[in-house]
Amino acid sequence: MTGRRHYRPRYLQVAEDLRDEILRGDLAAGDPLPGEPVLAERYHLSRTSVRDAIKLLRDWGLVRAEPGRGTRVRTQRQRVRRTPERYQWEKDRVRLPEHERRTAGATEKDTGLKVDDLEFHAEYSTVEAGADLAERFQVPVGTRLLHRVYWTSSVKEGAALTLARSWLVYDVAAANPDLLDAANEPWPGGTQHQLHTLGIEVDHVIDEITARPPQPDEAHILDIGPGVSVLVLRKTSVDTEGRVAEVAETVLPGDRTELVYTTRLERWSG
Amino acid sequence: MTGRRHYRPRYLQVAEDLRDEILRGDLAAGDPLPGEPVLAERYHLSRTSVRDAIKLLRDWGLVRAEPGRGTRVRTQRQRVRRTPERYQWEKDRVRLPEHERRTAGATEKDTGLKVDDLEFHAEYSTVEAGADLAERFQVPVGTRLLHRVYWTSSVKEGAALTLARSWLVYDVAAANPDLLDAANEPWPGGTQHQLHTLGIEVDHVIDEITARPPQPDEAHILDIGPGVSVLVLRKTSVDTEGRVAEVAETVLPGDRTELVYTTRLERWSG
């Protein structure tokens, strides 16, 4: 921000400056951060403000205080660039043979990682629809839902890249008993293939995006610091009959995830 | 989250419960929050945990401690639901007569408010392109850019709903000197009309979305509490020649903004 009305503390500018150096790679993983006196002189800043800047870098998860070794740059986390092309990509894979469907899922597509770089976790349970999900699925409050929790971890980082919850109407899913057992995860071809086994074809997907601080359990699984926000992406898959087939909510770390949507406009006639 | 691995403190559940009551309107603006002893008994919780829950509601900006009146529910903030249809909508308006272009902008469209409910602010300055914007515009680092800061406030709330920064290549914009003067804002028809006066037609718009805690100046202008994250939407408008015509970055409060994108999938042949 520029302009006299905007209050921008100096320590924040310094923290952003150092952040840019880290993200550009000028300061590499394992490198020591310059000491407080050096930074104070470089930026003409008090030691207190330098400490505030370093605290912010720690909160952002970019540096870490290492006993006896000072403050060092942390290994930068895997970045995720997620575009809605993943939905058509998943749909196109539904009718591939199983051995091809098995080779990659949407997370591999978003991260550029291989199946072996990722560890997949799934937990299933049943829940009763509250007011919100009941309205979404157009079913009575209390209707039984299959509730699925997924997280995909980078083997190298030992922390989750994304955390997702998904709901299906239980009685709909139960038409294929294989869909009720988490042991069948990761399901080759993912949710769109699962729905296909029920005779359901997805027509469109609605992404609704908000942001908030992580909840403690999310911060733990995603291994993110207190200065990191999460993106919450609620995805509603609507079938060719106009019925909601699946609702999912994915929590993504805001500091390393980019959601990218391209809107093409109609051309003016020449 | 469910499952034994997920640590979910009780005070958080209570805070979410009360948040839902407020958002549903069961607790209305100005209503007192039930007292600590009442909440402690209702939720079988210690007074300390109750206080933690109430602090969280304050951080979220949902309640406020009022001297001598206890903790009361705040007036709920204007919600913004933003879809990419706004881009085609803006484009279609470019060729309308000025008096029609003047009647509404995209913020009115997103909020359902009228022009008179909103107060518009614009500040212009010039900046030199850093590495990031230079790459985006495909110009040398140091190229002069027109830097525009906008915020739109709800008259009723006295706080900004959104905060945006926008960059144009200065020498491109200067072909129409009217575009260099903030006094011409709000420009009827917005940026797409401004670009049209330069002979530029927008072909597609790329939205890149991340999330982070607000910076102090942003928290001040948007009047958001420390427990609220912001969505950062970087918008790149590409013209019919494939050149980047505008880069903009909009900061939106994550607790009352929903970005909505719909992806239509190809149908399987019957």
Side-chain angles (χ1 to χ4, degrees):
Chain A
M1 303 297 308
T2 58
R4 60 202 144 60
R5 304 198 212 187
H6 306 125
Y7 168 63
R8 196 86 191 283
R10 285 273 293 141
Y11 77 85
L12 177 62
Q13 295 172 36
V14 171
E16 289 181 342
D17 220 54
L18 291 166
R19 178 193 62 194
D20 292 345
E21 283 188 47
I22 293 169
L23 294 181
R24 271 202 312 269
D26 297 348
L27 283 167
D31 279 357
L33 205 64
E36 284 175 24
V38 175
L39 291 174
E41 191 174 324
R42 188 200 293 176
Y43 292 106
H44 308 290
L45 216 61
S46 72
R47 291 285 284 269
T48 311
S49 294
V50 167
R51 274 192 286 269
D52 285 343
I54 294 173
K55 178 179 182 311
L56 211 46
L57 290 170
R58 269 205 314 273
D59 283 352
W60 290 340
L62 293 171
V63 303
R64 172 163 47 194
E66 296 185 5
R69 301 185 67 224
T71 298
R72 304 217 162 218
V73 175
R74 291 184 64 173
T75 304
Q76 291 318 296
R77 302 289 300 272
Q78 174 68 43
R79 300 188 74 79
V80 174
R81 188 175 163 94
R82 179 177 163 131
T83 76
E85 279 75 46
R86 71 190 340 253
Y87 301 137
Q88 185 65 51
W89 181 84
E90 256 185 23
K91 183 163 181 172
D92 292 342
R93 293 174 70 80
V94 165
R95 303 210 283 187
L96 294 181
E98 179 171 336
H99 70 273
E100 288 189 46
R101 270 184 281 123
R102 214 174 262 289
T103 54
T107 304
E108 287 82 355
K109 178 170 153 54
D110 292 345
T111 56
L113 296 174
K114 299 268 180 291
V115 170
D116 288 347
D117 300 327
L118 294 167
E119 210 174 311
F120 186 86
H121 306 262
E123 284 180 17
Y124 282 17
S125 61
T126 58
V127 296
E128 293 187 355
D132 175 50
L133 285 167
E135 201 198 319
R136 200 55 72 123
F137 280 113
Q138 294 283 299
V139 295
V141 169
T143 299
R144 191 152 59 142
L145 304 178
L146 182 64
H147 176 219
R148 312 179 301 170
V149 179
Y150 298 105
W151 64 103
T152 307
S153 298
S154 145
V155 172
K156 204 176 108 206
E157 295 181 357
L161 302 171
T162 67
L163 181 61
R165 305 202 287 167
S166 157
W167 296 268
L168 304 174
V169 174
Y170 188 90
D171 287 345
V172 173
N176 178 1
D178 288 349
L179 299 185
L180 304 177
D181 185 355
N184 293 320
E185 296 277 5
W187 187 280
T191 297
Q192 285 204 54
H193 188 273
Q194 291 176 323
L195 293 172
H196 177 61
T197 70
L198 301 170
I200 295 171
E201 175 184 352
V202 177
D203 176 71
H204 62 279
V205 179
I206 304 163
D207 288 349
E208 293 168 288
I209 302 156
T210 57
R212 57 170 171 71
Q215 293 170 350
D217 54 340
E218 297 166 345
H220 176 72
I221 292 183
L222 297 167
D223 186 21
I224 53 184
V228 173
S229 303
V230 293
L231 289 159
V232 180
L233 190 158
R234 172 174 272 217
K235 171 189 150 204
T236 304
S237 298
V238 182
D239 75 7
T240 52
E241 312 291 317
R243 279 183 304 240
V244 170
E246 187 214 13
V247 175
E249 205 172 272
T250 303
V251 175
L252 304 133
D255 63 334
R256 69 195 75 135
T257 306
E258 232 173 19
L259 306 177
V260 185
Y261 297 87
T262 299
T263 306
R264 304 210 163 267
L265 306 184
E266 289 158 30
R267 284 281 180 106
W268 290 325
S269 48
Chain B
M1 303 295 310
T2 57
R4 61 204 143 60
R5 305 198 212 188
H6 307 123
Y7 167 65
R8 196 85 190 284
R10 285 274 292 141
Y11 76 86
L12 177 62
Q13 295 172 36
V14 171
E16 289 181 342
D17 221 54
L18 291 166
R19 177 193 62 194
D20 292 345
E21 283 189 46
I22 293 169
L23 295 180
R24 270 201 312 268
D26 295 350
L27 282 168
D31 279 358
L33 206 63
E36 284 175 24
V38 176
L39 291 174
E41 191 173 322
R42 188 201 293 176
Y43 292 106
H44 309 287
L45 215 62
S46 72
R47 290 286 284 269
T48 311
S49 295
V50 167
R51 273 193 286 268
D52 285 344
I54 294 174
K55 178 178 182 313
L56 210 46
L57 290 171
R58 267 205 315 272
D59 285 352
W60 290 339
L62 293 172
V63 303
R64 172 165 46 195
E66 297 187 3
R69 302 185 67 225
T71 298
R72 302 216 164 219
V73 175
R74 292 183 65 172
T75 304
Q76 291 317 296
R77 301 289 299 272
Q78 175 66 43
R79 301 188 73 80
V80 174
R81 187 175 164 94
R82 180 177 162 132
T83 75
E85 280 75 45
R86 70 187 344 251
Y87 301 137
Q88 185 65 51
W89 181 85
E90 256 184 22
K91 182 162 180 173
D92 291 342
R93 293 174 71 79
V94 166
R95 304 210 283 187
L96 295 181
E98 180 172 336
H99 70 272
E100 287 189 48
R101 271 185 278 124
R102 215 174 260 290
T103 54
T107 304
E108 286 83 355
K109 180 170 152 53
D110 291 347
T111 56
L113 295 175
K114 298 270 179 293
V115 170
D116 288 348
D117 300 327
L118 295 167
E119 210 173 311
F120 186 84
H121 305 263
E123 285 181 16
Y124 283 16
S125 61
T126 57
V127 296
E128 294 187 354
D132 175 49
L133 285 168
E135 200 197 320
R136 201 53 74 121
F137 280 112
Q138 294 283 298
V139 295
V141 169
T143 298
R144 193 152 59 141
L145 303 178
L146 182 65
H147 175 218
R148 311 178 303 169
V149 179
Y150 298 105
W151 64 103
T152 307
S153 298
S154 145
V155 171
K156 204 175 107 206
E157 295 181 357
L161 302 171
T162 67
L163 182 60
R165 304 202 287 165
S166 155
W167 296 267
L168 304 174
V169 173
Y170 188 90
D171 288 346
V172 173
N176 178 1
D178 287 349
L179 299 184
L180 304 178
D181 185 356
N184 293 320
E185 296 278 5
W187 187 280
T191 296
Q192 285 204 54
H193 188 273
Q194 291 176 323
L195 294 172
H196 177 61
T197 70
L198 301 169
I200 295 171
E201 176 184 352
V202 177
D203 177 72
H204 62 279
V205 178
I206 304 162
D207 288 348
E208 293 168 289
I209 302 156
T210 56
R212 57 169 171 72
Q215 293 170 350
D217 54 342
E218 296 165 345
H220 175 72
I221 292 183
L222 297 167
D223 187 20
I224 52 182
V228 173
S229 303
V230 293
L231 289 160
V232 181
L233 190 159
R234 172 173 272 216
K235 172 190 150 202
T236 304
S237 298
V238 182
D239 75 8
T240 52
E241 311 292 316
R243 280 183 303 241
V244 170
E246 187 214 13
V247 175
E249 205 171 272
T250 302
V251 176
L252 303 134
D255 63 335
R256 70 196 74 137
T257 306
E258 232 173 18
L259 307 177
V260 184
Y261 297 87
T262 298
T263 307
R264 303 208 164 268
L265 305 184
E266 287 159 30
R267 285 280 180 106
W268 290 325
S269 48

